[in-house]
Amino acid sequence: MEWEISLCDLDYGAEEAAAVAAVLQRKWLTMAEEVNGFEAEFAGSVGVKHAIAVSNGTAALHLAYLALGIGPGDELIQPAINFVAAANMTLACGAMPRFADILALDEPTLDPAEVECLITSRTRGVVVMHYGGYLCRMAEIRDICRAHNLALIEDACHAVGAQAENGTKAGNLGDIGCFSFFSNKNLAVGEGGMVTTNRDDLAEKVRRLRSHGMTTLTWDRHRGHASRYDVAVPGYNYRPDEIRAALGRVQLRKLARNNALREALSLVYRHHLDSRPGWLVPFARAHGGSAYHLMVALAPDEAARDQAGNALRAARIQTSLHYPCIPDFAAYQACRERDLPKSREFARRAITLPLFPGMSAEQVEMVVNKL
Ligand SMILES: *Cc1c(COP(=O)(O)O)cnc(C)c1O
């Protein structure tokens, strides 16, 4: 289907093309100077000591869990309203996800009171997800994690550039942060990801596990800096490449401007939608600065949501659902121990509307009129 207005659109141009051309000219495609540069610049933008680039956001989550020692018998408390990767990687480590409800329909992030309810002797950590780019209640959740000696993992895939009231960036609000640079994210390279942390021990483990557990890199051996390697712990190949890293560096330079454009468009949407009876736009009161990744509205009920989705589709306007409630997936049958009433109502009423930096205010009005 040829969309009149698609859900998202890349901000790609001559700078991205030049960055890729420069990599091709150098004829070195695997991890080297572009990856090092991207990591250093990303670490600087988040304000963390370490940023480790990886092949995608799911790999970032997997390595974050493994670096923290999450394994069989462990439990990770996490939101039921999330992309499934955080839960899938929990199972991949042999651990169990424990799904917590959201705070409220107008604040669909992890409820700190729910987190406290779910803590058992097996709980090893809490995964937060900054839904749509809006930060979770980090101060409260951090206090709970400290009191119970739990690791705090940020699934910051929606939140690149978001910051708390005191200016601390998403990815620097827990023990370890995970980002995705998939093509629909605020910083897009196609397939890519990043792990951020201030902890030297975690950074070292993530670096090793990213590349088969090997103690030296191809690049270092190529430059004659090393010739032998050992494998201390068996690892993976979750490496990024130079082309994607070069794209990431250009996109990082555009991020602040593009997030500001997203903010302005979100305000136009909110202005128009706030007056619709029965409709609700979450995050009227934000905790800090959002990355404005998604424009989500709640219809009065499921029928109205489906009707709105159909009307927009007929007008060739793309919509989506972020997200179904994870325990409702077949693979998560074993995790249906709790009702999660707010998460389920959210999944029934939510609709994601088009939002991207190159969108016009007129396009926003078109979407709203078709609703
Ligand atoms: C995109 C996304 C992921 C997964 O990232 P990939 O790069 O696609 O592997 C995980 N969690 C959230 C919240 C996401 O939006």
Side-chain angles (χ1 to χ4, degrees):
M1 153 116 59
E2 198 51 50
W3 299 109
E4 174 78 27
I5 306 176
S6 57
L7 201 58
C8 54
D9 191 26
L10 290 172
D11 172 23
Y12 262 42
E15 287 172 86
E16 281 80 4
V20 170
V23 172
L24 298 183
Q25 216 150 36
R26 281 198 296 272
K27 295 208 281 181
W28 187 276
L29 299 178
T30 55
M31 276 201 326
E33 61 192 87
E34 295 290 347
V35 171
N36 290 338
F38 186 31
E39 290 182 341
E41 288 153 17
F42 197 85
S45 77
V46 173
V48 281
K49 193 165 172 198
H50 306 282
I52 304 114
V54 292
S55 48
N56 57 67
T58 306
L61 287 160
H62 195 192
L63 294 184
Y65 298 167
L66 291 171
L68 287 162
I70 307 298
D74 295 339
E75 294 177 356
L76 284 181
I77 298 171
Q78 51 195 285
I81 296 291
N82 191 1
F83 182 61
V84 73
N88 280 350
M89 291 306 102
T90 306
L91 294 179
C93 291
M96 277 304 282
R98 299 291 309 281
F99 292 109
D101 212 348
I102 52 175
L103 257 162
L105 293 174
D106 66 357
E107 192 173 350
T109 59
L110 197 59
D111 181 353
E114 283 273 300
V115 171
E116 243 166 340
C117 267
L118 285 168
I119 293 173
T120 71
S121 59
R122 292 165 175 264
T123 311
R124 291 288 309 282
V126 176
V127 184
V128 295
M129 196 276 279
H130 306 301
Y131 183 95
Y134 299 82
L135 295 184
C136 297
R137 298 279 184 104
M138 292 309 287
E140 289 159 70
I141 295 171
R142 206 179 302 122
D143 285 347
I144 295 168
C145 287
R146 284 216 184 101
H148 297 271
N149 195 26
L150 305 176
L152 179 51
I153 302 133
E154 288 180 85
D155 180 341
C157 292
H158 291 187
V160 61
Q163 58 179 37
E165 263 136 16
N166 67 4
T168 309
K169 292 277 170 77
N172 192 14
L173 297 167
D175 292 292
I176 196 160
C178 303
F179 292 87
S180 165
F181 309 131
F182 186 66
S183 42
N184 63 5
K185 302 300 203 287
N186 290 26
L187 191 168
V189 307
E191 297 280 3
M194 192 76 79
V195 179
T196 54
T197 184
N198 288 312
R199 279 175 54 179
D200 298 341
D201 61 323
L202 296 181
E204 186 177 329
K205 283 180 184 148
V206 169
R207 279 207 181 89
R208 288 273 167 86
L209 290 168
R210 164 176 74 172
S211 192
H212 308 287
M214 289 161 65
T215 52
T216 68
L217 302 173
T218 313
W219 178 240
D220 293 319
R221 290 193 296 280
H222 175 73
R223 290 187 301 176
H225 290 179
S227 56
R228 290 156 188 277
Y229 59 84
D230 190 18
V231 175
V233 184
Y236 300 83
N237 178 357
Y238 281 164
R239 293 184 306 253
D241 65 39
E242 288 286 277
I243 295 177
R244 268 59 164 269
L247 291 171
R249 296 176 82 177
V250 176
Q251 288 271 296
L252 183 59
R253 292 200 292 273
K254 295 178 168 181
L255 182 70
R257 188 194 71 124
N258 280 343
N259 280 2
L261 290 169
R262 289 172 177 277
E263 175 176 17
L265 293 164
S266 300
L267 290 175
V268 177
Y269 264 119
R270 194 177 283 284
H271 172 74
H272 288 298
L273 290 171
D274 273 345
S275 54
R276 307 258 152 147
W279 284 75
L280 173 70
V281 183
F283 301 112
R285 296 170 310 263
H287 304 277
S290 177
Y292 302 94
H293 176 53
L294 298 177
M295 184 64 225
V296 174
L298 300 196
D301 54 40
E302 189 172 18
R305 189 270 308 271
D306 293 345
Q307 204 182 348
N310 290 337
L312 290 174
R313 195 182 166 77
R316 293 190 295 128
I317 296 168
Q318 190 180 18
T319 66
S320 186
L321 166 59
H322 294 86
Y323 293 95
C325 194
I326 294 174
D328 290 345
F329 291 132
Y332 287 87
Q333 274 179 35
C335 301
R336 286 180 201 157
E337 49 181 338
R338 302 173 72 245
D339 282 344
L340 307 169
K342 292 178 221 163
S343 298
R344 291 218 155 80
E345 185 174 352
F346 186 83
R348 280 195 304 270
R349 290 175 55 188
I351 184 167
T352 309
L353 303 172
L355 178 65
F356 48 90
M359 200 175 175
S360 66
E362 291 70 42
Q363 284 179 310
V364 171
E365 271 159 38
M366 239 176 90
V367 174
V368 175
N369 287 339
K370 294 293 174 195
L371 265 187

